[in-house]
Structures are given as C-alpha cells and as structure tokens.
C-alpha cells in the first residue's frame, strides 16, 4: 500500500516545488484549489520514486490520480499506482489527461488505458495580453461593457486582502440569491464553502486578487493563484449583476495585478478562467 497524506495548507512549499515548474494547466493542480476543495475531493498526496502523485476520491468513493510529476520516467510510479488500484479492486484511473500526456502514456503503456473526455469540464484558457488590452473585433462587446461602466460609475480598483472577507461574502450572497433560480443550489453551496476557506486562508494559499468599489461599496471581486510557471488560474470572479459591465471591468483590471506580482509571466502567458466544476470525471 502507498501512504497518501491529506493535503493541507502546510504542504504548500513541497507540492508547489513539483507543480509550478510543470506544464500542467489544469485548475485542479492549483494548490489553492487542492486545499479549498478538500472537503469534497479528499485530495491527498504521496512521493513515489521522486515523483509527486496527487489522489482524489470521487463521489462514488473510488480513487483517481493525476499524472505523476517529477524528473525521470513515470513508468515505475504508474506501475505502483496500478498495483495499489488492483489491491483495492479498482481500475487505475488518471484524470486531467491532456493530449500531450496521452501521447506519453500511449508510448509507455500502449494497451493499459482507455481515454474518454467530457467537454462540460474543459477549462477556458486565454492569453494574459488579450484580456489586459482587449484588442480586436472579438473583444468589442467586452470593451463596450467596460466603456459603459466607466461612463456610469466613478469606480476604484483595490487589491484584495484577507481582511475584506466580510465584504466579499456580502457580495457573494447577493450573487448567490440572484443565481440560485437558474443554477444548481448544491453546487453553488459547495462553491461558497470552497470560497470561504480560500478567503480565510488567503495568504497561506498564496492567493492574490482585486476588487471594484463604487461609492465605497464592493461591486465585484476576483482572486486566483499560479497553476504553473506560465499559467495563472482565476478561481473566483463575482460581481453585483445590477452593475452592468462589472464583470468585464474586474476581469480586465485584474490582469495588471497578475503582471505586477512578480510571477515572471511574459505577454504570452496564459490566464485560465475557471467556471469551476469540482470532481472532474
């Protein structure tokens, strides 16, 4: 048996030493998400043959694993995971297998895996430069929303901090009540629980964020964290729907924070916008 340890905020330095240098762009690899969604995914980790392996528990109670991260061949690690799965009478299931990972797996194990995908759980990935400057026809509508917002409101953009939890929760409550008629209430409640954990452990998780205030009142906020060396995950983005254009404004303004925080991202860096669906299967 492999000894898997539940992921906690104190594991940040160890886990990110494997995750940040990698090419993984899956929002589930974000350390902040690994911790804040632990109540649902029971995320845990083990070190096997100098590789990091992250494990989740599905809603059916089965185990799923991320592709091992580390230098050298993952073959002995995957063989160890297969043996572990067999001992539990489960098939070995790897999640978040992107095409380049599938190519590697097919080289290592040409007959071991079957591959399925679900577009409902795909992530949205953009270039930071595109969201920061909104050039071209495809961003015309978003520019219009921003211009209309600026005409109607004298707003202030501020950096988000852990002591603004109360304001964030008050705004999220407005958003929740406006959304529950057309969204799954259980999913909204789970997202709220994750968000509260993230806000309460803002600095420990390495989160950064921003907020928009109009007449001193918060009307939008967002936060996220790096997923890898070239990808930043925007984990939460909420706005008062009565302020048309607030979403577009907070999204654009936040790009400057990402660049200024010293993440060493260039203009070709990716920004992942997460319409978060936990337990991706």
């Amino acid at each position: 048996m492999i000894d898997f340890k539940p992921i906690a905020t104190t594991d940040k330095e160890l886990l990110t030493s494997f995750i940040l240098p990698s090419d993984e762009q899956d929002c589930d690899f974000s350390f902040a998400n690994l911790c804040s969604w632990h109540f649902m995914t029971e995320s845990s980790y083990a070190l096997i043959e100098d590789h990091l392996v992250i494990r989740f528990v599905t809603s059916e109670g089965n185990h799923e694993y991320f592709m091992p991260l580390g230098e050298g061949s993952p073959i002995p690690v995957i063989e160890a995971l297969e043996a572990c799965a067999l001992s539990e009478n489960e098939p070995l299931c790897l999640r978040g297998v992107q095409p380049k990972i599938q190519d590697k797996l097919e080289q290592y194990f040409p007959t071991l895996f079957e591959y399925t995908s679900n577009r409902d759980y795909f992530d949205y990935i953009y270039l930071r430069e595109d969201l920061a400057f909104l050039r071209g026809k495809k961003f015309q509508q978003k520019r219009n929303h921003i211009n209309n917002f600026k005409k109607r409101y004298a707003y202030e953009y501020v950096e988000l901090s852990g002591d603004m939890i109360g304001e964030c929760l008050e705004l999220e409550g407005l958003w929740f009540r406006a959304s529950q008629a057309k969204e799954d209430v259980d999913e909204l409640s789970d997202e709220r629980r994750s968000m509260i954990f993230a806000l309460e452990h803002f600095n420990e998780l390495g989160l950064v964020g921003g907020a928009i205030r109009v007449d001193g009142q918060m009307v939008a906020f967002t936060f996220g964290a790096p997923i890898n060396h070239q990808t930043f995950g925007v984990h939460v983005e909420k706005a008062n729907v009565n302020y048309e254009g607030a979403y577009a404004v907070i999204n654009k303004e936040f790009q400057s924070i990402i660049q200024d925080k010293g993440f060493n991202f260039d203009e070709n860096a990716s920004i992942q916008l997460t319409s978060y669906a936990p337990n991706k299967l």
Side-chain angles (χ1 to χ4, degrees):
M1 293 293 293
I2 302 172
D3 183 22
F4 279 88
K5 177 185 175 183
I7 293 177
T9 57
T10 52
D11 297 313
K12 181 176 183 292
E13 183 177 356
L14 173 61
L15 268 61
T16 55
S17 70
F18 286 89
I19 297 172
L20 291 181
S22 76
D23 293 326
E24 298 295 341
Q25 294 182 293
D26 191 321
C27 66
D28 286 344
F29 262 112
S30 164
F31 182 76
N33 276 342
L34 289 170
C35 291
S36 62
W37 285 94
H38 182 270
F39 71 93
M40 177 177 288
T41 64
E42 298 182 39
S43 55
S44 58
Y45 76 94
L47 297 179
I48 308 172
E49 300 285 341
D50 296 323
H51 282 70
L52 171 69
V53 177
I54 295 174
R55 186 178 73 176
F56 301 92
V57 178
T58 71
S59 56
E60 291 79 20
N62 299 322
H63 290 131
E64 290 187 334
Y65 306 86
F66 269 143
M67 184 71 176
L69 297 180
E71 299 294 331
S73 172
I75 292 177
V77 185
I78 294 176
E79 289 175 341
L81 294 178
E82 182 185 19
C84 182
L86 288 174
S87 71
E88 298 172 343
N89 295 316
E90 295 182 1
L92 174 59
C93 183
L94 299 180
R95 66 190 287 179
V97 176
Q98 300 174 26
K100 59 185 177 182
I101 299 176
Q102 180 176 337
D103 291 341
K104 291 182 180 180
L105 286 173
E106 289 178 342
Q107 293 176 14
Y108 298 138
F109 303 98
T111 62
L112 181 61
F113 293 102
E114 295 180 357
Y115 301 90
T116 61
S117 62
N118 189 335
R119 290 192 62 86
D120 290 342
Y121 298 128
F122 284 13
D123 291 320
Y124 300 90
I125 299 179
Y126 300 86
L127 293 179
R128 189 203 70 85
E129 183 185 28
D130 286 345
L131 298 183
F133 299 104
L134 302 176
R135 302 185 181 105
K137 291 183 178 180
K138 66 179 179 179
F139 293 114
Q140 181 63 56
Q141 186 175 15
K142 182 169 282 192
R143 291 199 302 272
N144 290 342
H145 285 311
I146 292 173
N147 290 334
N148 289 335
F149 185 91
K150 289 181 175 180
K151 289 177 182 178
R152 297 181 65 181
Y153 307 108
Y155 73 90
E156 176 189 17
Y157 177 80
V158 296
E159 187 172 344
L160 196 66
S161 60
D163 59 2
M164 297 163 67
I165 294 177
E167 291 180 274
C168 293
L169 293 181
E170 182 178 355
L171 174 54
E172 193 275 343
L174 293 173
W175 179 90
F176 183 93
R177 289 188 289 274
S179 303
Q180 60 184 341
K182 54 185 178 181
E183 302 284 349
D184 185 293
V185 175
D186 288 338
E187 287 189 5
L188 293 179
S189 297
D190 289 337
E191 183 187 47
R192 170 180 283 186
R193 182 173 174 180
S194 168
M195 187 191 71
I196 291 173
F197 181 95
L199 289 170
E200 290 178 342
H201 299 82
F202 200 81
N203 294 328
E204 296 168 77
L205 296 174
L207 291 164
V208 296
I212 298 292
R213 285 198 177 107
V214 174
D215 296 328
Q217 178 182 353
M218 184 185 292
V219 300
F221 73 92
T222 185
F223 62 77
I227 296 174
N228 70 6
H229 60 104
Q230 279 291 84
T231 308
F232 187 98
V234 178
H235 300 328
V236 170
E237 191 175 83
K238 302 294 181 187
N240 187 329
V241 296
N242 295 317
Y243 288 79
E244 182 180 353
Y247 272 110
V249 172
I250 189 64
N251 184 273
K252 183 179 186 300
E253 291 279 8
F254 188 43
Q255 307 313 310
S256 62
I257 282 289
I258 295 172
Q259 188 68 11
D260 294 343
K261 277 295 182 178
F263 294 126
N264 298 319
F265 292 155
D266 60 28
E267 64 181 17
N268 294 317
S270 298
I271 300 298
Q272 183 193 78
L273 302 182
T274 305
S275 177
Y276 201 80
N279 240 357
K280 297 183 180 181
L281 305 179

